[in-house]
């Protein structure tokens, strides 16, 4: 599902040394195209690398929101290694980065985990080059992000919100029912 969002993204402001340290740390992580890593920036979130380009294209619907941290891509990245090719960002160099406000973060989470089913997500917290994973989820393991995934849907449905009711109707539900009998009577539990 393609969603439209405003292009007024929060600004990620890092000095050159912070950018270099962050880029070095991020590029040292195992690169998996199925994992979207969100960085909690205390008030907004950022996504980097190929995931940033994916979010810009599919959710912002423009590459104008992509900022490039660092400088030239190091020789260890796939785009920089292949002779005769340029990074996916065409003439841009550095680590592609996109910022998201809380609302768009929750929208992207819902799309990736509830509707898409092809991506896992990680939430990283920290600063400088000292970051740790605080939450991980995949389409089959949603518990870490339940608050973000279902925020507002129950309250708005209870308050009679038609838009939230429609959104809640699209969320898959799973229920287990146990049927049995006790003393000749059917028991549902």
């Amino acid at each position: 599902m393609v969603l439209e969002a405003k292009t007024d993204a929060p600004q990620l402001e890092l000095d050159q040394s912070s950018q270099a340290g962050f880029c070095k740390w991020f590029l040292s992580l195992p690169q998996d195209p199925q994992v979207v890593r969100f960085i909690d920036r205390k008030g907004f979130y950022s996504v980097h690398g190929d995931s940033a380009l994916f979010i810009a294209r599919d959710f912002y619907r423009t590459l104008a929101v992509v900022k490039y941290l660092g400088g030239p891509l190091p020789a260890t990245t796939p785009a920089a290694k292949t002779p005769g090719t340029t990074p996916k960002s065409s003439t841009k160099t550095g680590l592609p980065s996109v910022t998201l406000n809380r609302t768009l973060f929750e929208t992207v989470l819902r799309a990736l985990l509830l509707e898409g089913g092809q991506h896992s997500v990680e939430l990283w917290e920290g600063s400088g080059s000292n970051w740790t994973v605080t939450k991980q989820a995949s389409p089959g393991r949603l518990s870490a992000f339940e608050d973000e995934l279902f925020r507002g849907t129950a309250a708005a449905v209870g308050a009679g919100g038609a838009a939230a009711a429609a959104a809640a109707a699209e969320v898959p539900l799973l229920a287990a029912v146990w049927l049995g009998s006790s003393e000749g009577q059917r028991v549902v539990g």
Side-chain angles (χ1 to χ4, degrees):
M1 180 171 131
V2 177
L3 303 170
E4 298 214 25
K6 292 181 181 178
T7 58
D8 54 316
Q11 294 298 313
L12 177 60
E13 296 179 13
L14 298 173
D15 61 31
Q16 282 299 108
S17 64
S18 297
Q19 286 185 28
F22 180 81
C23 291
K24 182 179 178 182
W25 168 79
F26 187 84
L27 293 171
S28 72
L29 296 173
Q31 300 301 312
D32 183 351
Q34 302 301 359
V35 176
V36 177
R37 293 182 174 106
F38 293 95
I39 310 297
D40 187 351
R41 300 286 183 175
K42 306 299 179 214
F44 65 97
Y45 301 87
S46 63
V47 178
H48 306 275
D50 289 340
S51 297
L53 298 173
F54 164 71
I55 294 207
R57 275 192 302 269
D58 288 12
F59 295 94
Y60 279 110
R61 301 190 48 136
T62 179
L63 293 178
V65 296
V66 178
K67 306 296 180 217
Y68 293 85
L69 299 181
L73 289 172
T76 57
T77 61
K81 279 194 228 177
T82 311
T85 62
T86 57
K88 290 182 182 179
S89 59
S90 66
T91 60
K92 304 283 184 172
T93 60
L95 180 65
S97 303
V98 168
T99 57
L100 302 93
N101 62 26
R102 183 176 191 89
T103 304
L104 186 56
F105 167 69
E106 292 172 357
T107 301
V108 171
L109 277 179
R110 283 186 203 100
L112 294 176
L113 296 174
L114 298 177
E115 299 164 12
Q118 301 169 9
H119 293 88
S120 296
V121 298
E122 297 175 347
L123 180 65
W124 291 75
E125 292 181 358
S127 62
S129 60
N130 186 23
W131 297 87
T132 56
V133 175
T134 56
K135 295 182 181 182
Q136 293 179 310
S138 62
R141 286 181 325 147
L142 303 175
S143 60
F145 284 100
E146 282 181 349
D147 289 344
E148 291 84 357
L149 289 171
F150 305 112
R151 181 184 323 278
T153 55
V157 170
E170 294 179 21
V171 175
L173 267 194
L174 178 66
V177 178
W178 175 75
L179 300 174
S181 64
S182 176
E183 301 176 5
Q185 301 258 349
R186 287 191 182 183
V187 177
V188 178

